[in-house]
Amino acid sequence: MNFNEMNLIKPILRAVEEQGFTSPSPIQEQSIPLLLEGRDMLGCAQTGTGKTAAFALPILQQLSKSKSKNIRALIVTPTRELAIQIQENIEKYSKYTSVRSGVIFGGVGQKPQVDMLRKGVDILVATPGRLNDLVSQGVIKLNKIEIFVLDEADRMLDMGFIADIKRILKQLPAKRQTLLFSATMPKEIEKLSSGMLKNPAKVKVAPVTCTADKVSQCVYYVDKKNKVCLLTSLLKKEDIKNVIVFTNTKHGADKVVKLLAKEGITALAIHGGKGQTARQTALKSFKEGTVNVLIATDIAARGIDIAELSHVVNYDLPDVPETYIHRIGRTGRAGLTGSAINFCNFDDLQNLRDIERHIGKRIEELESKWPMVILEKTEKPVREPRAKQGKKDEAMTKTEHVFVQKEREKKLRERDRNRKFGKKRK
C-alpha cells in the first residue's frame, strides 16, 4: 500500500510526498483508515514507528472539512521537546491546508503563547502543566474539542502527570474522538484508557527490537576515568560531521561539556535541568551546524529528529535495551548511513550483554590507547550518618564557615546590646 491508496485528500498527499514519504509504516497503514472513520483508538507503539503521522494526517483531513474559531484538536505529550517535534511535523503536513496549529509548554514565558492562542488555532499541541495553567486562567477552553490525543501515556505515568491528565479529561466534551498511544500497557494505563475510550480500535505495533540496518555499531572497553580521553581523540580524529553524546545523568552531561572545553572542543548540553530557552538554543545551534557536538541525557532520545546525524556516542551505556535502540535511532535515518560508538567500563558489562541479547548480535569490539584495566565493580561510597552541629562545621567550606561565624557574632552583639539597654532602663 502507498499513501495514494488511503483516501487522503490531495493537499495532504502533496505535503507528505514533499517530505519524501511514499509508503506508510505499519502503524500508519493500520491507523489512518480507522481514524478517518472517526473511531477511538488504543495504539501500542513506541517513538520511531511513525505514529505522529498516523494521527496527524487523519486529524488534518477531518478538520479541513470545516472552519471554526475554537481549538478543535488537542494533542497532549509529556515533554517539551516532543511537543515541539509534533508541532513541526503537523506544520509540514498542513502546508497546503488552511488548518492552523500551535504548541504550548512550560519553562518559558507564557505571553507569546497566549498571543498565539488569541489569534486562533485549530490544533493545539501541549504539555500537561502549561495546558492546565492556561485553562485555569481562562485563556484556553476545551469544551469544543472534537479530537483528543494522549501520546506516550506510559511516560506520562512515569513522570507523574496522570493527575494532570485526569484534570484535562474533565474539561473535555463527552462527544469526541479519542486516541491514546503508549509503548507499554501497565494496569493504570489500561484503567485510564477504559474510562477515556469508547469501543476503541486496537492497533499494536511490535516493539522495536532491532537497530537500523545502516547504522554501524562498535564498542570500546575503557575505564570510566579514561572515557573523556577516548572521546576527545575520536572527536579530533574521526570523520564526525555531527554527534550526539549520551550520558545517563544531568551532572555527567555538564561535566563532559567542561572537560571537552579544556581540550578546545565546543559542546553544548541538553537535559532536564536546563531551562527551556537554553535547551532550544542548544538544539537550534546543533541543527544549524554552529555546534557539532551535543551532550544529552535521554530527554533527547525521544521525539528529536536531527537531519543527517552522522554519529551517536553512548558515553554511558543505558540500563534499558530499548533506550539503546532509541538513542542510536537518531542516526541512520531516511536511508542515510550512521555510526553508533559505545563506551563500556567494567560496571557496564551486564548492560552491554543485555543490549546484545536484545538486538540479537554481538557488537564489534575496537581497541584504543586506553584499554580497560580495572576489572572489578566500583564500590559505592557509604553515606555518613547525619552529623551533629559541631561536626557540620568541620565539613563546611571555608566560605560557608566564615558566613556562619559572622552570623553568630552578629547575634551575640545584638544580645549584648539588648542586655545593656535593659539594665539602663531599670
Side-chain angles (χ1 to χ4, degrees):
M1 179 179 282
N2 59 45
F3 282 108
N4 289 321
E5 301 172 81
M6 303 192 77
N7 295 321
L8 291 168
I9 57 176
K10 286 183 179 179
I12 292 175
L13 287 173
R14 183 182 173 189
V16 169
E17 187 178 341
E18 281 189 5
Q19 296 305 309
F21 304 129
T22 54
S23 300
S25 69
I27 192 166
Q28 292 164 0
E29 186 173 341
Q30 294 178 61
S31 302
I32 291 173
L34 293 166
L35 296 179
L36 288 174
E37 293 174 7
R39 294 282 304 276
D40 280 12
M41 176 176 289
L42 178 60
C44 190
Q46 296 178 336
T47 297
T49 54
K51 61 183 166 68
T52 299
F55 61 73
L57 301 185
I59 289 173
L60 288 169
Q61 180 140 321
Q62 300 286 64
L63 299 188
S64 64
K65 294 176 183 177
S66 60
K67 291 187 177 182
S68 172
K69 293 181 180 179
N70 304 304
I71 300 170
R72 300 160 64 198
L74 174 65
I75 301 163
V76 178
T77 192
T79 69
R80 295 172 270 196
E81 283 72 23
L82 192 52
I84 292 167
Q85 186 68 39
I86 290 171
Q87 158 64 4
E88 287 175 350
N89 285 329
I90 289 173
E91 280 192 343
K92 291 171 185 175
Y93 301 141
S94 64
K95 184 176 178 181
Y96 300 108
T97 73
S98 59
V99 178
R100 302 159 301 167
S101 59
V103 60
I104 60 170
F105 44 81
V108 295
Q110 70 176 41
K111 188 179 184 304
Q113 297 177 2
V114 171
D115 291 342
M116 174 268 297
L117 290 165
R118 284 178 176 153
K119 290 178 183 176
V121 295
D122 299 293
I123 303 173
L124 180 63
V125 186
T127 52
R130 178 54 58 90
L131 178 62
N132 277 321
D133 284 346
L134 295 183
V135 168
S136 64
Q137 293 173 38
V139 175
I140 293 175
K141 295 189 185 304
L142 302 178
N143 59 327
K144 301 293 183 181
I145 295 295
E146 300 169 26
I147 306 169
F148 174 59
V149 181
L150 182 61
D151 194 20
E152 301 214 358
D154 53 347
R155 200 165 179 215
M156 294 277 193
L157 177 63
D158 293 340
M159 295 173 73
F161 283 137
I162 293 300
D164 292 288
I165 297 305
K166 289 178 178 176
R167 201 173 301 127
I168 291 164
L169 288 170
K170 290 177 182 177
Q171 307 289 326
L172 300 174
K175 188 180 178 181
R176 64 176 191 268
Q177 183 180 13
T178 306
L179 289 61
L180 184 149
F181 289 93
S182 187
T184 59
M185 286 292 163
K187 287 182 180 178
E188 193 163 351
I189 297 300
E190 287 182 1
K191 184 180 177 183
L192 182 70
S193 67
S194 65
M196 283 175 56
L197 307 171
K198 296 175 182 176
N199 188 28
K202 295 182 180 179
V203 173
K204 186 173 183 179
V205 177
V208 181
T209 56
C210 61
T211 51
D213 294 334
K214 296 193 176 183
V215 178
S216 65
Q217 301 169 69
C218 66
V219 59
Y220 289 95
Y221 292 97
V222 56
D223 294 329
K224 189 174 183 179
K225 65 179 181 180
N226 290 327
K227 283 183 179 182
V228 73
C229 299
L230 177 55
L231 179 61
T232 302
S233 173
L234 293 173
L235 291 175
K236 288 183 176 180
K237 292 180 181 178
E238 289 279 322
D239 184 21
I240 294 178
K241 177 187 173 185
N242 50 11
V243 57
I244 297 180
V245 180
F246 282 102
T247 63
N248 288 344
T249 67
K250 296 180 284 188
H251 172 73
D254 290 333
K255 186 177 180 181
V256 172
V257 169
K258 290 176 183 176
L259 291 171
L260 289 178
K262 289 180 181 179
E263 300 297 327
I265 297 172
T266 301
L268 294 175
I270 175 171
H271 54 67
K274 295 280 185 184
Q276 182 60 24
T277 302
R279 284 155 69 173
Q280 283 185 274
T281 300
L283 273 175
K284 187 172 183 289
S285 299
F286 189 65
K287 285 183 176 182
E288 292 176 351
T290 309
V291 171
N292 63 1
V293 182
L294 188 68
I295 316 298
T297 56
D298 286 311
I299 195 167
R302 295 192 184 212
I304 292 178
D305 189 7
I306 307 295
E308 300 181 10
L309 180 69
S310 69
H311 287 72
V312 164
V313 172
N314 284 306
Y315 191 89
D316 299 322
L317 282 175
D319 54 9
V320 178
E322 288 83 358
T323 301
Y324 176 80
I325 303 294
H326 285 302
R327 287 183 180 184
I328 76 167
R330 299 304 97 203
T331 186
R333 296 167 82 87
L336 300 172
T337 57
S339 179
I341 301 171
N342 303 288
F343 293 175
C344 180
N345 60 300
F346 193 81
D347 292 343
D348 295 330
L349 285 174
Q350 187 57 53
N351 291 344
L352 179 64
R353 299 294 169 249
D354 290 343
I355 288 166
E356 289 178 328
R357 273 195 296 272
H358 188 73
I359 65 176
K361 68 177 182 181
R362 292 296 294 267
I363 297 175
E364 180 187 5
E365 178 186 347
L366 297 182
E367 294 182 359
S368 75
K369 288 173 23 181
W370 301 275
M372 184 168 68
V373 294
I374 298 174
L375 303 177
E376 56 184 18
K377 286 201 170 186
T378 306
E379 288 189 18
K380 293 183 179 179
V382 179
R383 283 190 176 184
E384 293 289 333
R386 188 169 288 183
K388 292 181 180 179
Q389 185 62 44
K391 291 186 179 179
K392 266 188 183 177
D393 288 350
E394 293 173 15
M396 289 179 187
T397 65
K398 187 176 179 181
T399 304
E400 289 171 331
H401 189 82
V402 169
F403 176 78
V404 170
Q405 190 62 32
K406 284 183 177 179
E407 287 295 303
R408 286 178 181 167
E409 288 173 358
K410 183 180 175 183
K411 287 180 180 178
L412 287 171
R413 285 196 298 271
E414 287 177 357
R415 186 194 66 185
D416 291 342
R417 276 198 302 271
N418 289 338
R419 283 178 178 173
K420 191 176 179 181
F421 180 71
K423 283 180 181 178
K424 281 185 179 179
R425 287 191 66 177
K426 286 180 183 179

